[in-house]
Amino acid sequence: MDTTVADPLVGQVLDGRYRIESRIARGGMATVYLSKDLKLDRIIALKVMHAGLAQDDDFVRRFIGEAKSSAALSHPNVVAVFDQGTDKQHVFLAMEYVPGRTLRDLLTERGRLGPRQALEIMQPVLAALGAAHRAGLVHRDVKPENVLLTGDGLVKVADFGLARAESASKQTKTGMIIGTVGYLAPEQVLSGHADVRSDVYAAGVMLFELITGRQPHQGETPLAVAYKHVNEVVPLPSSVAPGIPPQLDALVAMATSHDPARRPQDAGRFLAAVADTHRNLPPNIDQVSANATSVLQSGPPVPTHPRVGAGAHTSVIPMGAVAQEPQPRAPFLDRLIDFVTGRFVLIALGVIAVVVIGWAVWYQAAGQYAHVPRNIVGMSAEEARARLTEDGIRFKAGRPAYSDKVKKNHVVSVDPAPGERVKQDQVVTFVLSRGRQPIPVPDVTGKSLDEAKKALENNGFTAGDVTRAPSQTVPKDAVLRTDPKAGDKQSPDEPVGIVLSNGVQLPNLAGQPSDPAANQLRSMGLNVKVEEQQDPSKPPGTVLSQNPPPGTAVSHGDEVTLYVNKKEDCFLPQFNPRCQNGGNGQEMLPVPSTVGRNVDEAKGILEGAGFKVDVKDVPGRQPGGQVLLQTPANGNAPRDSVVTIWR
């Protein structure tokens, strides 16, 4: 059954603005719908809270507060929040629609990922979490289901702040721990408390799952899994999946330490360690890891965490499984038996013989057979099913095929052929049209929306949904790409989606050193103008404000003005440490890389360079003599700051 048709919200308009088109997914907290913003004429995702939560005043209050905070978070790897509102009993959230699939879907398909591929996905996830952490937000529900993958390779993280609203409400009322138990940090299990380091723990668990194909702790019940998170360390990935390099063991061990103080203190610092490890991995490490796994496995790994979705509670009853009750014998039969046993036995037997012979002749000549309708080709699917059912013919649908003559979802062919005789137990297979033969989608990149629609129409296509995405190369409001992409083949009966460029969204540069901030804007193709101001309360040489403000969409070549706090006037800067590092008042020193060196040698190098050194052992591994991982691994850092090395 089509659940979209049965959903009472489909077709409704919430808040006089958001028209619900179809259901996308349903979770434990809300249902997500594909909707259209009638005011701005764009496709969005509308998350509507379940009725039970919407009736909880505490939850609604927290939800609105968290939604406002999430809406202020602007990052290319974060699913944008556009609006929040209520309509009668419905509490909803309007968000960016991200076509594609979840990271859970990818894991279900692949089983596990190679080390390089896993780190390539983790980096944008951690970049999104890092942006949230800098803004004071904690995700609280980091897991593959909340990581979205688009067809063109973008990675986006969804549901920021929503877990906190739900968790606070349910803990107040029931004392329950809210979250996905497989990713809960020990402190969340013990006290319900979560901070940015809890997100780092969940990210470490997710990295473990990506490279091994399973979660680190498993049990018969959620309580058993939570117990293991508190009482057992996360095992090293190499102990589960052969071929995993020790650098990834160190990453997982560092992020999933039971002591939050020993983890990276936010997602940004974990991202730096992940990026350094990815940069130093051998190019063929994924193939090496896959070959090591194939030696021990006879087939692809079976995902241990299937995604629960629509149909999870559907039961299938085989035909004939339901027995019929015996029917009482008709009075006519009783009279016939009495008649047969009476004095007219011979006559009765003669009559019965005629009836039986007549029935046998009819069954062989006609009753045993039916004919495939001669006009079935060209019928709609519904008409074909109704006609075959009416004629008492069993049927099934075959694999759809393209046709330039028969309309989409109408019968193209049937086997046996129309008019042929079929037995009553024979199954007739009909094939539906998928529409016209696929042809290449034209390239409309860089055109305006009207020009793109006209070009598609000239090639036999119709324009579908219009969405937006950021771009550093394509001007704002010009076509960034199509869905499917240019050159791919698609039936003209299917609409072609158009993605318009939003230009570049300006990052928030306030508080950053002026030179790196200006270089970041120049790398985005923007013209930078720097003006000095003076604010004694802020560090010299840092950005005070910017124009246009953060989050503004700009195009290549636009001008951005940075208002920078005036630097100190330095005389003989070589003798004044406050004049080093551009006059920012803090002496910065280059960090030497010691990965691969002997631990004692590495410690001497770093201390000689002006830093303090913290040596840590990877849990579960015998302490070695070489440095596996270093944070920070390179760049500049303040004198006397701590550099951590893992052995």
Side-chain angles (χ1 to χ4, degrees):
M1 185 179 110
D2 186 355
T3 56
T4 296
V5 175
D7 195 310
L9 277 181
V10 173
Q12 291 194 32
V13 178
L14 295 188
D15 203 27
R17 176 174 179 177
Y18 303 109
R19 186 178 67 211
I20 297 178
E21 306 286 354
S22 61
R23 181 195 293 181
I24 298 176
R26 180 180 174 87
M29 178 180 173
T31 301
V32 182
Y33 298 92
L34 181 70
S35 306
K36 186 169 185 178
D37 184 342
L38 301 177
K39 184 176 181 180
L40 297 180
D41 191 26
R42 64 178 176 184
I43 297 298
I44 63 164
L46 201 69
K47 177 173 289 226
V48 182
M49 302 301 110
H50 293 333
L53 291 174
Q55 294 172 2
D56 185 334
D57 293 336
D58 288 340
F59 169 79
V60 173
R61 177 175 52 81
R62 293 186 183 95
F63 172 76
I64 293 174
E66 290 298 316
K68 289 179 179 178
S69 299
S70 300
L73 183 59
S74 176
H75 191 274
N77 298 117
V78 173
V79 175
V81 176
F82 300 140
D83 188 19
Q84 182 279 324
T86 57
D87 186 341
K88 298 178 182 177
Q89 74 273 27
H90 303 299
V91 180
F92 63 86
L93 193 68
M95 305 180 300
E96 173 189 8
Y97 172 61
V98 182
R101 57 179 175 171
T102 67
L103 182 54
R104 171 64 66 207
D105 296 331
L106 179 63
L107 273 177
T108 301
E109 175 186 327
R110 301 277 185 88
R112 55 171 284 199
L113 307 181
R116 289 189 69 89
Q117 186 181 12
L119 295 186
E120 286 166 1
I121 290 178
M122 288 298 301
Q123 289 182 71
V125 171
L126 292 172
L129 293 174
H133 293 172
R134 289 191 296 274
L137 290 176
V138 181
H139 191 288
R140 289 177 171 81
D141 199 18
V142 177
K143 58 184 178 180
E145 286 81 353
N146 283 333
V147 178
L148 307 181
L149 310 175
T150 68
D152 54 1
L154 287 178
V155 178
K156 288 180 175 281
V157 181
D159 280 0
F160 278 89
L162 301 188
R164 177 179 180 182
E166 186 186 31
S167 176
S169 175
K170 290 191 177 179
Q171 283 180 353
T172 299
K173 294 183 179 297
T174 67
M176 297 175 60
I177 299 171
I178 304 303
T180 306
V181 71
Y183 306 88
L184 287 180
E187 64 268 21
Q188 288 179 274
V189 177
L190 292 173
S191 66
H193 172 74
D195 60 17
V196 296
R197 297 169 299 182
S198 307
D199 282 352
V200 171
Y201 183 97
V205 172
M206 191 166 74
L207 174 58
F208 180 100
E209 185 177 8
L210 293 183
I211 56 181
T212 65
R214 47 158 285 187
Q215 292 180 2
H217 296 315
Q218 299 181 25
E220 295 296 327
T221 65
L223 184 60
V225 177
Y227 178 89
K228 290 184 177 181
H229 276 288
V230 173
N231 295 282
E232 298 179 13
V233 298
V234 171
L236 298 177
S238 61
S239 68
V240 176
I244 301 298
Q247 295 95 318
L248 269 76
D249 283 347
L251 284 175
V252 171
M254 177 174 62
T256 59
S257 172
H258 275 205
D259 182 4
R262 296 179 63 86
R263 301 174 202 154
Q265 294 303 288
D266 59 28
R269 298 186 191 182
F270 191 25
L271 170 60
V274 167
D276 290 337
T277 301
H278 177 265
R279 186 163 48 249
N280 294 317
L281 285 178
N284 64 337
I285 186 63
D286 287 359
Q287 185 61 44
V288 171
S289 177
N291 291 341
T293 302
S294 64
V295 172
L296 300 180
Q297 294 180 341
S298 60
V302 179
T304 58
H305 312 288
R307 184 181 181 188
V308 179
H313 304 289
T314 302
S315 299
V316 179
I317 302 176
M319 293 181 64
V322 181
Q324 293 181 340
E325 295 183 2
Q327 299 297 319
R329 196 170 64 180
F332 168 77
L333 186 57
D334 290 333
R335 291 196 298 271
L336 180 61
I337 292 175
D338 293 339
F339 177 74
V340 170
T341 56
R343 60 181 182 167
F344 301 105
V345 172
L346 293 177
I347 298 175
L349 289 175
V351 172
I352 293 174
V354 171
V355 172
V356 170
I357 293 173
W359 174 85
V361 172
W362 172 86
Y363 180 81
Q364 291 294 329
Q368 188 178 3
Y369 295 96
H371 290 82
V372 179
R374 295 185 180 275
N375 61 342
I376 191 171
V377 173
M379 285 184 180
S380 68
E382 294 76 11
E383 292 172 337
R385 292 188 183 100
R387 178 62 185 277
L388 292 171
T389 300
E390 181 183 345
D391 291 351
I393 299 175
R394 298 176 61 192
F395 59 88
K396 68 177 181 179
R399 187 173 183 177
Y402 290 106
S403 173
D404 291 330
K405 297 180 180 179
V406 179
K407 292 189 299 183
K408 184 178 180 181
N409 292 328
H410 286 63
V411 178
V412 173
S413 62
V414 63
D415 182 29
E420 288 193 14
R421 190 172 66 173
V422 293
K423 294 182 178 181
Q424 286 187 334
D425 61 349
Q426 189 173 353
V427 177
V428 172
T429 302
F430 64 87
V431 175
L432 296 179
S433 171
R434 294 181 62 181
R436 289 175 286 173
Q437 288 287 342
I439 58 177
V441 175
D443 188 358
V444 295
T445 303
K447 297 180 181 293
S448 68
L449 179 60
D450 291 339
E451 291 173 339
K453 288 182 176 180
K454 186 173 182 180
L456 290 173
E457 291 172 0
N458 291 340
N459 284 269
F461 293 98
T462 57
D465 295 338
V466 179
T467 57
R468 289 183 172 272
S471 172
Q472 295 187 17
T473 57
V474 178
K476 183 181 179 182
D477 296 328
V479 175
L480 178 60
R481 59 182 177 273
T482 54
D483 183 20
K485 64 183 180 180
D488 286 357
K489 290 186 176 182
Q490 176 168 293
S491 171
D493 291 328
E494 299 289 340
V496 175
I498 299 176
V499 181
L500 296 179
S501 172
N502 252 347
V504 181
Q505 284 193 335
L506 282 179
N508 186 359
L509 300 173
Q512 297 189 21
S514 59
D515 290 343
N519 290 335
Q520 180 180 350
L521 294 177
R522 293 188 184 100
S523 68
M524 296 164 62
L526 303 172
N527 294 327
V528 181
K529 180 181 178 182
V530 178
E531 293 187 7
E532 287 190 338
Q533 294 181 345
Q534 193 145 14
D535 186 347
S537 65
K538 300 293 175 62
T542 57
V543 177
L544 298 175
S545 61
Q546 63 192 73
N547 185 33
T552 303
V554 293
S555 299
H556 189 280
D558 286 355
E559 182 176 277
V560 178
T561 301
L562 296 180
Y563 298 96
V564 177
N565 202 14
K566 188 176 181 181
K567 299 180 181 179
E568 290 190 10
D569 294 328
C570 294
F571 178 71
L572 297 177
Q574 63 271 31
F575 300 108
N576 184 359
R578 289 183 58 81
C579 291
Q580 299 176 22
N581 189 34
N584 289 338
Q586 190 174 28
E587 185 178 5
M588 306 293 287
L589 298 175
V591 180
S593 176
T594 63
V595 175
R597 293 182 178 272
N598 179 274
V599 172
D600 292 335
E601 180 187 3
K603 187 174 179 181
I605 291 173
L606 291 169
E607 289 176 345
F611 300 99
K612 297 178 181 178
V613 181
D614 182 16
V615 180
K616 294 184 178 180
D617 296 327
V618 176
R621 180 182 292 277
Q622 285 294 106
Q626 288 187 330
V627 176
L628 296 177
L629 193 68
Q630 171 185 322
T631 56
N634 47 37
N636 296 326
R639 177 184 290 275
D640 293 329
S641 60
V642 177
V643 176
T644 303
I645 57 176
W646 295 76
R647 61 181 178 180

